[in-house]
Amino acid sequence: MTTSMPKVESMASLSSDLFYDILRRLDGATLASAACTCAALHSISKEERLWENVCASTWPSTKSEDVKSLIAVVGGFKKFYADCFPLIVNKEVPEFNLTDYLKYPEEWDEAEYYGDMEEFESISPSDFVSIVDIRYKDKTVCSKVLWGIPNANGVNGWFYNCPFRIDLLTNDEITLSVSDGIPPITSMERERKDGKLWQDLRNGLQLSWIVVNRRIKQAANLSSWNSLGGQRHWPTDNDFLVRFGSILPAKDILPCQVVECILIMKFRVVHTEVDGNNTTLKLTELSMQLGDMEGAHVNGRNSLLVLKEALSCHRSKNYSEALESCHLYSKVQSELKEEKMRNESRLDRLCILSGIAAFVTVCYYFL
């Protein structure tokens, strides 16, 4: 016995509930593409519940009621996804010119160094919210929300003049084990040779660090999603430091014009197979800092200005573009360091020659 399926005359003849049921199963990129296919899908794709589901699957930290309220205030889930899923791309890294950096900070007066004070006074650390999610092999490891910037109270406090840093970890114990997919470690000596765990961490970890400014109602993801590099067995044999980040504009804020947002995730091996337990890693650091071209950390005052500027800069869904801007920054930074080392070497030789000349002169007159 054969059955015939009813013929669909047009897309318009299908139920909107059926459309909704189909769209709610899509990820954000596919949902956005589907919205461009026809008027019916475009209309249904504006439904905030669809984008709420997309945001919840992409960033589990957005499931809490207080974060949902925050997202509603800044423009809704669709806008939030459009702002935070693409990565920050900044290809306007200035070409290397040592004389531009030698002007800092001696030739910058206080007004130039601190920028527009009226603009700064409109920025408060309490305006910023950090929404952070860590994934390992597509499994959520950690979701945290930080309201404001800790220990930043008081306009004349230490925060504004000291290096900017956000430490996100509290007393919560966040671990990775063999059951999460990490390879077992029989000995640290063997891991040092083959680096299997290190490669697994670099390839498997993903970090999203979204910063929202409640006052100006803007948001951006300051992370690179995937690892940019790091250090293994540092500062001890049991530590693995994985680095994420992005390049942020600092025009008219700092002389270097751009800064690096440095996001650090550090794991420590607390158990190996030799101990009679499954291999276990503990997350010991999750932090954000801003560094300038010379490697110095940006102070709190300028960091707030940079973060505000970053929320409106160019973004792209193409990961390779974000990676390219990071590599360009690293290239210029390396050139700057090399030129400074050459200058210091020249000065050292000049000092040595001057000392020898002075010694010979003294000997000539007294002998």
Side-chain angles (χ1 to χ4, degrees), residues 90-118:
N90 189 347
K91 296 183 180 180
E92 296 182 1
V93 178
E95 294 184 3
F96 167 73
N97 188 348
L98 185 62
T99 57
D100 292 338
Y101 300 100
L102 293 178
K103 293 191 298 182
Y104 173 74
E106 289 84 353
E107 297 183 12
W108 275 51
D109 59 29
E110 185 175 359
E112 290 178 309
Y113 180 77
Y114 289 120
D116 189 344
M117 294 303 293
E118 290 185 2

Side-chain angles (χ1 to χ4, degrees), residues 209-251:
W209 192 310
I210 295 172
V211 171
V212 182
N213 188 307
R214 290 182 282 182
R215 180 175 298 188
I216 63 176
K217 299 180 180 180
Q218 290 182 325
N221 196 336
L222 304 188
S223 181
S224 52
W225 277 109
N226 297 318
S227 165
L228 295 175
Q231 290 176 280
R232 60 173 177 158
H233 309 296
W234 187 90
T236 71
D237 275 351
N238 290 357
D239 289 314
F240 295 84
L241 185 150
V242 187
R243 184 173 60 86
F244 302 80
S246 55
I247 308 304
L248 308 181
K251 189 176 182 180

Side-chain angles (χ1 to χ4, degrees), residues 122-165:
S122 67
I123 306 174
S124 170
S126 61
D127 295 336
F128 294 92
V129 180
S130 292
I131 302 174
V132 181
D133 292 280
I134 302 174
R135 290 178 181 269
Y136 178 69
K137 295 184 176 179
D138 295 326
K139 178 183 176 182
T140 301
V141 174
C142 170
S143 293
K144 285 184 173 292
V145 179
L146 181 65
W147 299 84
I149 299 177
N151 306 315
N153 296 326
V155 176
N156 297 319
W158 62 269
F159 167 81
Y160 293 90
N161 298 312
C162 291
F164 172 82
R165 181 184 175 97

Side-chain angles (χ1 to χ4, degrees), residues 281-299:
L281 305 181
K282 179 181 178 182
L283 183 62
T284 58
E285 180 181 334
L286 182 58
S287 63
M288 174 196 289
Q289 290 180 298
L290 299 184
D292 66 14
M293 193 70 75
E294 296 187 68
H297 294 302
V298 182
N299 64 26

Side-chain angles (χ1 to χ4, degrees), residues 55-64 131 133-135 140 142-143:
C55 289
S57 62
T58 308
W59 304 290
S61 52
T62 61
K63 294 179 181 179
S64 63
I131 302 174
D133 292 280
I134 302 174
R135 290 178 181 269
T140 301
C142 170
S143 293

